């Protein structure tokens, strides 16, 4: 099997690439990544000399290059993760999100379609998406696979568009696809623009912890390796033309999560109890901030037997340990453009 994984040098993609390279030595894995600010080959240095691993630097927006790549390798499967992924950046630069997440996805779909000449026997296109396409929840209820789409940020709207396009290709060209919509991930190698790694880095450096609004927003957190396991199950055992929700059954209000993180960090850094909490600073809210996300992952559990393997406390503790043990990785990713991004986003 020649398997293309797009966005494999990013946070989730690197965990997916690692899992497939190590667990499926008879597959040739091709990691296609443009190495944007979020892509980092350091994330894969432990597996990059494996014989079944191939890295290709390239942009999913470059259609001639993408066509040639598909003609050359005749991929049997595609797991498509490449995307612009951060809501705050989508608020400042929505067009980048439309370009990569919508047009880039259509480029990959078109290349897959043309190189198979509409005969998809034994082939599969797997589109990795987010729960944010469903919009926002009130106090009760969960997102199921039947929840109508109601995206509310440019990021969510671009992912919703790409999901619709994948389904449209499935119906129109009989292309075999699966889609998964996952809740918020956390774990090793996450870029420190998202809540958990940003706050870990700020606590290490005694910087303020910028909580948007009153912190009374809820997210459903999943350890990234459990997401990679779910993707493995769905890629191999999921039914064509089906969607699977993936979530941690693990809802946290932002402020409670930040307080837990502060207390774990105080213990691990040997700092006085309560010292990291003093860094919490409430800042102006994110525009259009979605109140609550929570996933009903029972379909994935019942049909494919997947369940999260790690509790939140354990996953968070492992994640903090990793960041503390990999300060060089952190220093490298927060140099350069990150400084400019941070100033623009948080200096008001
Ligand atoms: P990320 O930002 O860490 O990584 C994205 C990767 O895509 C990077 O390596 C980047 O270099 C690459 N990329 C971006 N534009 C590209 C282009 N034009 N051509 C080729 N490569 C390009 O993102 P992530 O958090 O790992 O998310 C991966 C996927 O999972 C995304 O599709 C995202 O929507 C989805 N997702 C993320 C979460 C989450 O909590 N992070 C949750 C659910 C779904
Ligand atoms: P984030 O990690 O950006 O993921 P998403 O927007 O995809 O859910 O944010 C998670 C939650 O944390 C979200 O409610 C916004 C909030 N947040 C802050 O309060 N401060 C911050 O600096 C960031 C990045 C996020």
């Amino acid at each position: 099997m020649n398997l293309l994984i797009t966005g494999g040098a990013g946070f989730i993609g690197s965990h997916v690439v690692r899992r497939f390279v190590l667990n499926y030595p008879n597959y040739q894995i091709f990691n296609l990544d443009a190495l944007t600010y979020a892509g980092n080959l350091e994330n894969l240095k432990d597996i990059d000399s494996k014989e079944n691993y191939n890295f290709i630097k390239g942009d999913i927006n470059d259609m001639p290059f993408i066509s040639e790549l598909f003609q050359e390798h005749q991929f049997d499967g595609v797991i498509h993760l490449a995307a612009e992924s951060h809501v705050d950046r989508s608020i400042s630069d929505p067009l980048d999100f439309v370009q990569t997440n919508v047009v880039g996805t259509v480029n990959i779909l078109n290349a897959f379609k043309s190189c198979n000449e509409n005969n998809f026997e034994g082939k599969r296109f797997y589109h990795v998406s987010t729960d944010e396409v469903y919009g926002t929840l009130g106090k009760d209820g969960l997102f199921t696979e039947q929840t109508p789409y109601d995206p509310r940020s440019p990021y969510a709207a671009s992912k919703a568009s790409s999901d619709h396009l994948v389904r449209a290709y499935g119906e129109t060209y009989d292309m075999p696809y699966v889609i998964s919509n996952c809740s918020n991930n956390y774990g090793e190698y996450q870029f420190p623009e998202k809540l958990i790694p940003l706050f870990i880095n700020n606590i290490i450096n005694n910087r303020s912890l910028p909580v948007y609004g009153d912190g009374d927003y809820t997210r459903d957190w999943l350890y990234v390796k459990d997401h990679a396991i779910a993707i493995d199950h769905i890629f191999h055992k999921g039914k064509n033309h089906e969607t699977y929700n993936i979530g941690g059954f693990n809802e946290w209000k932002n402020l409670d999560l930040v307080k837990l993180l502060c207390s774990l960090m105080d213990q691990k850094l040997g700092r006085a109890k309560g010292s990291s909490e003093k860094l919490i600073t409430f800042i102006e809210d994110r525009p259009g901030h979605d109140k609550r996300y929570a996933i009903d992952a029972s379909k994935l559990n019942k049909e494919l037997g997947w369940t999260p393997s790690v509790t939140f406390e354990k996953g968070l503790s492992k994640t903090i340990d990793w960041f503390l043990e990999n300060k060089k990785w952190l220093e490298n990713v927060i140099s350069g453009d990150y400084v400019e991004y941070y100033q623009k986003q948080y200096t008001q």
Side-chain angles (χ1 to χ4, degrees):
M1 144 119 60
N2 273 357
L3 174 62
L4 175 69
I5 300 179
T6 70
F11 165 49
I12 300 169
S14 63
H15 289 277
V16 174
V17 166
R18 178 176 296 100
R19 183 173 176 88
F20 276 73
V21 165
L22 296 178
N23 286 8
Y24 303 102
N26 54 334
Y27 295 2
Q28 278 299 319
I29 309 293
F30 295 82
N31 170 15
L32 168 67
D33 199 295
L35 300 181
T36 68
Y37 79 92
N40 185 354
L41 290 178
E42 285 287 300
N43 299 0
L44 289 163
K45 68 176 186 322
D46 54 321
I47 56 108
D48 67 7
S49 58
K50 297 279 177 200
E51 279 188 4
N52 63 336
Y53 174 70
N54 310 271
F55 175 68
I56 301 157
K57 184 173 186 307
D59 191 333
I60 61 170
N61 294 308
D62 180 351
M63 190 55 199
F65 164 78
I66 294 296
S67 295
E68 216 170 284
L69 187 72
F70 273 76
Q71 288 303 336
E72 184 184 348
H73 297 292
Q74 298 290 319
F75 299 115
D76 304 291
V78 176
I79 304 181
H80 178 43
L81 295 109
E84 290 294 337
S85 69
H86 190 40
V87 172
D88 291 327
R89 290 185 192 255
S90 83
I91 294 168
S92 330
D93 296 300
L95 198 53
D96 290 351
F97 284 67
V98 175
Q99 185 61 53
T100 292
N101 299 359
V102 185
V103 181
T105 298
V106 174
N107 286 340
I108 298 286
L109 287 166
N110 280 342
F112 189 60
K113 174 175 166 285
S114 331
C115 88
N116 287 300
E117 291 165 354
N118 293 343
N119 176 5
F120 296 106
E121 188 65 40
K123 307 274 170 115
R124 168 157 279 190
F125 189 98
Y126 185 153
H127 180 60
V128 175
S129 192
T130 169
D131 60 356
E132 302 190 28
V133 299
Y134 297 124
T136 183
L137 291 164
K139 275 206 178 82
D140 304 314
L142 299 170
F143 295 134
T144 72
E145 289 80 0
Q146 279 72 46
T147 302
Y149 275 30
D150 183 23
R152 292 160 34 98
S153 72
Y155 164 66
S158 68
K159 292 296 291 187
S161 308
S162 61
D163 294 9
H164 289 321
L165 284 155
V166 172
R167 291 196 182 96
Y169 273 61
E171 294 307 317
T172 309
Y173 308 112
D174 212 15
M175 179 185 282
Y177 74 87
V178 280
I179 297 179
S180 57
N181 296 85
C182 187
S183 63
N184 287 62
N185 284 214
Y186 69 95
E188 296 87 342
Y189 302 107
Q190 188 167 29
F191 191 82
E193 63 185 352
K194 308 269 168 54
L195 181 73
I196 290 178
L198 176 79
F199 279 30
I200 292 175
N201 181 43
N202 283 14
I203 292 171
I204 293 173
N205 294 298
N206 271 308
R207 294 178 78 163
S208 70
L209 304 176
V211 172
Y212 294 152
D214 56 5
D216 190 23
Y217 293 88
T218 300
R219 298 291 183 265
D220 174 358
W221 293 92
L222 179 69
Y223 186 49
V224 63
K225 290 185 185 169
D226 279 328
H227 189 184
I229 295 171
I231 289 175
D232 186 345
H233 280 23
I234 295 167
F235 181 74
H236 289 105
K237 300 186 291 185
K239 284 198 206 114
N240 278 333
H241 291 213
E242 290 277 331
T243 295
Y244 297 88
N245 278 355
I246 312 172
F249 302 101
N250 177 43
E251 289 183 50
W252 283 80
K253 284 195 173 173
N254 289 348
L255 196 53
D256 295 337
L257 187 161
V258 170
K259 286 182 180 168
L260 171 67
L261 184 65
C262 286
S263 105
L264 285 169
M265 292 290 288
D266 285 346
Q267 286 167 32
K268 288 179 193 282
L269 291 167
R271 291 183 186 167
K273 208 170 165 200
S275 52
S276 298
E277 263 196 40
K278 291 195 187 122
L279 298 170
I280 294 175
T281 314
F282 294 95
I283 65 163
E284 193 180 328
D285 213 345
R286 173 187 279 175
H289 198 165
D290 286 339
K291 191 73 182 165
R292 177 171 162 256
Y293 304 146
I295 278 275
D296 178 353
S298 54
K299 174 178 174 183
L300 180 59
N301 175 256
K302 279 193 201 111
E303 292 187 12
L304 305 185
W306 175 89
T307 195
S309 67
V310 175
T311 62
F312 188 54
E313 285 74 2
K314 186 149 178 236
L316 193 57
S317 174
K318 276 160 74 126
T319 302
I320 297 169
D321 290 344
W322 184 86
F323 277 95
L324 293 176
E325 282 156 19
N326 288 275
K327 288 216 176 100
K328 193 90 204 116
W329 181 93
L330 197 52
E331 277 164 25
N332 287 344
V333 299
I334 62 172
S335 60
D337 291 352
Y338 184 79
V339 177
E340 205 184 305
Y341 165 77
Y342 200 91
Q343 271 168 357
K344 204 170 135 207
Q345 182 64 25
Y346 295 103
T347 314
Q348 296 171 350

